[in-house]
Amino acid sequence: MAEVKLDAKIRTDFGKGAARSLRREDMVPAVIYGHGAEPKHIAIHNHALMMALKTPNALIRLDVDGTSELVIPKAVQREAIRGFLVHVDFLAVKKGEKVTVEVPIHVEGDLAPGANLLEHLLNTLPLEAEATHIPESVTVSVAGLDAGDSVHAKDITLPSGSALAIDEETVVLQVVAAQAEAPAAEGDESAEG
């Protein structure tokens, strides 16, 4: 995964008013946590951060007033209606350090013929991976699965250097038989009128 480089500045004003003022300047308030250090309150240009966050588990190198910080996004808050960034929490990481992240699950292949439905019990898979080698996604093949079949976490081929961060017996996907609606009885038609 490539790192994204962004510029940030330390912020000294806190609270709703200060955050609103930053947003009017097209900046996003953020905080860097980790490694037992005091949290750093920063501000980042909105558009650049929004583009960086389009990649899940983006590895970001922040230039904070002359010092370089390697971070991953931990919590992203967006405005409910318009979806613009309100606040971001970052976790400081180091090369070689293991982190737990949620990685998107991509499904490929066709189910066995018949009226079957694929039910996603998990859309993301919790993995432990090196901070500088976080996989963008995991791929699961459902080719030939029939009603009653399921895919457990242990059945998924993980990228090298990654390990499951959940119980290996957790069901991730399952195939269920589609339920056909029973035709309405003729006596029910009079009740509708």
Side-chain angles (χ1 to χ4, degrees), residues 27-79:
M27 301 291 279
V28 177
V31 179
I32 301 172
Y33 298 100
H35 300 129
E38 286 291 316
K40 287 184 186 175
H41 299 272
I42 60 172
I44 305 172
H45 189 266
N46 182 32
H47 182 71
L49 181 57
M50 184 178 65
M51 296 307 288
L53 294 176
K54 287 192 180 278
T55 302
N57 301 312
L59 184 63
I60 301 172
R61 181 161 304 276
L62 291 175
D63 182 18
V64 184
D65 292 341
T67 62
S68 182
E69 292 268 355
L70 193 60
V71 298
I72 58 172
K74 208 55 182 164
V76 178
Q77 296 173 12
R78 295 182 183 272
E79 197 270 336

Side-chain angles (χ1 to χ4, degrees), residues 107-191:
V107 177
E108 65 182 17
D110 295 323
L111 298 175
N116 297 325
L117 300 172
L118 182 64
E119 183 177 16
H120 293 256
L121 300 176
L122 295 177
N123 290 319
T124 58
L125 188 64
L127 293 181
E128 186 177 273
E130 187 179 329
T132 55
H133 294 92
I134 298 172
E136 290 187 22
S137 65
V138 293
T139 303
V140 179
S141 174
V142 295
L145 294 183
D146 205 351
D149 292 340
S150 59
V151 176
H152 294 84
K154 67 181 178 185
D155 300 330
I156 299 174
T157 304
L158 302 177
S160 64
S162 300
L164 288 173
I166 59 171
D167 181 33
E168 63 182 23
E169 293 299 325
T170 302
V171 177
V172 177
L173 304 167
Q174 66 183 9
V175 181
V176 293
Q179 304 270 331
E181 282 189 32
E186 289 186 25
D188 293 340
E189 289 178 17
S190 61

